Amino acid sequence: MSEILTDELLAIAVRVARQGAVTARRMRDEAIGDVETKSTDTDVVTAADKAVERQVIEALLAERPGDGVLGEEYGDSATVAPGAVRWILDPIDGTVNYLYGLPQYAVSLAAEIGGEVVAGVVINAATGDEWTATRGGGAWRAGRRLTGSVRTTLDQSLVATGFGYDARRREHQGAVLARLITRVRDIRRLGAAALDLCLAAEGSLDAYFEKGLNLWDHAAGGLIAEEAGLVVGGLSGAPAGKQMLVAAPPALFPVLHDVLVELDAAGGP
Ligand code: IPD
């Protein structure tokens, strides 16, 4: 993969994701009053999700008409030719935070070639904070190269996680957490997987894990964490995916991994 191409893809991603973040923020400021008056909670979030996704897709395809896009709201735009770029987009990650005005919601945009994510950006739309990475080119925030946490023991680690929307899955996730919480410094549930991965990449969290993520939740943030030197994977050698994603520095990964296996964190519905 040429460095020039990945740099170009990242530049496009940053430009387009910034515009999406502005739209997300503006729509929240303008439309959230509707929740109390005419529309429902879900209408406000869905309208913003769709508007941001449409805007980002249009901007991407205007610059690179041959590319594919996988987005949370509109699905896969087309089958991608071998070697072509597929963009992976979460227009608003952290939709519950978005609804409540908690400043932890993000536009997440990644470029994938041949099944491998090669560039990614995550922008906290509430604060404007940005994290970027290209494969082989490191992970960055505001000109600072990210290297992750240096923590090596679980009992000293601040570990973030998240929960799915399905009640039966949550029951299992809650049971796992009840046993994990006694073995770590503390747990955080911040509500946006892409931001959890970026915070782990910069060492503001020691590690992060979650079962049930979709590709758009972790494509950009996963590359940022990897490029910061973290190990990002599933359990027992599986790649990170729906079953489980764990992101932790190399010394911590096996320790957290083994506890998650012991607690059957990838199990349940
Ligand atoms: C959700 C958030 C949340 C995670 C959920 C995701 P959404 O994405 O990333 O932190 O725990 O698993 O579905 O619905 O806000 O885009």
Side-chain angles (χ1 to χ4, degrees):
M1 187 61 44
S2 101
E3 202 178 301
I4 298 172
L5 176 61
T6 53
D7 286 352
E8 254 172 42
L9 294 173
L10 180 65
I12 294 171
V14 169
R15 203 161 53 237
V16 166
R18 279 182 188 163
Q19 293 159 3
V22 169
T23 299
R25 178 77 194 262
R26 181 180 47 74
M27 285 190 75
R28 188 180 189 284
D29 293 345
E30 286 171 7
I32 216 72
D34 285 359
V35 174
E36 278 107 57
T37 54
K38 47 184 184 301
S39 71
T40 64
D41 287 7
T42 13
D43 284 349
V44 170
V45 174
T46 308
D49 256 326
K50 287 197 166 157
V52 173
E53 184 157 329
R54 224 177 299 119
Q55 178 187 356
V56 168
I57 292 175
E58 271 173 32
L60 287 174
L61 297 184
E63 294 213 36
R64 297 182 49 92
D67 292 355
V69 186
L70 168 68
E72 180 176 13
E73 298 298 323
Y74 291 95
D76 241 331
S77 62
T79 27
V80 181
V85 173
R86 180 171 74 149
W87 296 92
I88 302 167
L89 167 69
D90 192 343
I92 302 178
D93 182 38
T95 45
V96 176
N97 289 340
Y98 184 76
L99 185 62
Y100 281 79
L102 295 170
Q104 288 285 330
Y105 54 87
V107 177
S108 168
L109 183 59
E112 179 200 71
I113 300 178
E116 183 177 66
V117 176
V118 297
V121 58
V122 174
I123 302 181
N124 181 330
T127 62
D129 291 326
E130 277 180 24
W131 294 260
T132 60
T134 51
R135 188 160 295 281
W140 300 83
R141 175 182 177 180
R144 183 168 67 90
R145 192 166 184 160
L146 307 178
T147 50
S149 157
V150 292
R151 209 81 57 194
T152 55
T153 61
L154 201 53
D155 61 348
Q156 292 296 308
S157 291
L158 185 61
V159 178
T161 190
F163 309 113
Y165 290 109
D166 174 74
R168 282 178 47 247
R169 172 163 297 168
R170 284 184 167 198
E171 194 178 357
H172 185 78
Q173 289 175 316
V176 170
L177 204 62
R179 294 178 61 204
L180 181 66
I181 200 165
T182 57
R183 295 158 83 159
V184 295
R185 180 193 293 273
D186 211 341
I187 293 288
R188 290 291 179 272
R189 197 293 191 243
L190 299 172
L195 291 172
D196 289 327
L197 284 160
C198 292
L199 294 174
E202 68 177 36
S204 301
L205 296 166
D206 295 308
Y208 164 70
F209 76 94
E210 185 164 343
K211 174 188 163 79
L213 291 178
N214 291 298
L215 187 53
W216 49 78
D217 295 315
H218 66 84
L223 177 67
I224 292 164
E226 264 183 60
E227 285 294 324
L230 276 64
V231 180
V232 180
L235 297 185
S236 311
K242 269 237 168 251
Q243 207 57 30
M244 179 55 66
L245 179 147
V246 185
L252 200 56
F253 186 92
V255 190
L256 178 58
H257 171 277
D258 291 357
V259 172
L260 293 174
V261 169
E262 182 195 320
L263 300 180
D264 189 28

